[in-house]
Structures are given as structure tokens and as C-alpha cells.
Amino acid sequence: MPVITTHPPKRFTRPDRRIYRLQQVMDATGFGRAWIYELMSKGEFPKARKIGARAVGWDSLEVEQWVTDRLEGRA
């Protein structure tokens, strides 16, 4: 009798790169809004990008790399 194999259904996987909104940036860094914008103005934090008429977002990979650099003492 032949063996029939079935494959599990493909699930949607979230891309590694995504847009972080301010709350996600605050959660990732532990910083508040004012301090994030202060660091951005000094060029010490990834810049927010305009993503809509009244919305900005951050590249998740840039934010995560920034956090990693701080934790590993590379900043």
C-alpha cells in the first residue's frame, strides 16, 4: 500500500522588516517620546520616516540594530 504524505498548510509569516510606530519604538527602547525625538534631533537615533499624511514610522531593523549596539557596548 502506498504511503501518502501531507504537508501542513503554509502559514503567513511576518516579514523581518516592518514599520514600527512610536509605541513600538518606545517598547523596544524603554524611552519616552520626548527622549526618542531628542536623540533623533542629535543624530543619535534612527530617523522617523513619513508613511502617511499625518503618520511617521521607523524601520524596525534600524531600531533593533540600535538596541543591539547599545546592549553590546558598540555605541
Side-chain angles (χ1 to χ4, degrees):
M1 182 165 250
V3 176
I4 299 173
T5 59
T6 60
H7 299 286
K10 291 185 178 183
R11 299 193 185 268
F12 175 77
T13 57
R14 189 176 250 197
D16 291 335
R17 185 178 191 193
R18 56 192 170 275
I19 297 170
Y20 277 178
R21 297 302 304 271
L22 180 59
Q23 186 61 53
Q24 291 168 299
V25 174
M26 293 187 327
D27 291 344
T29 62
F31 296 148
R33 178 191 179 281
W35 188 242
I36 290 167
Y37 278 91
E38 176 71 22
L39 291 174
M40 279 182 11
S41 72
K42 294 178 182 179
E44 298 175 8
F45 192 78
K47 297 285 185 190
R49 295 181 172 97
K50 192 168 183 78
I51 59 172
R54 295 178 39 174
V56 298
W58 286 259
D59 183 320
S60 63
L61 295 181
E62 291 178 4
V63 173
E64 295 300 332
Q65 186 61 57
W66 186 91
V67 170
T68 299
D69 291 347
R70 275 26 183 210
L71 291 174
E72 294 179 357
R74 290 185 273 178

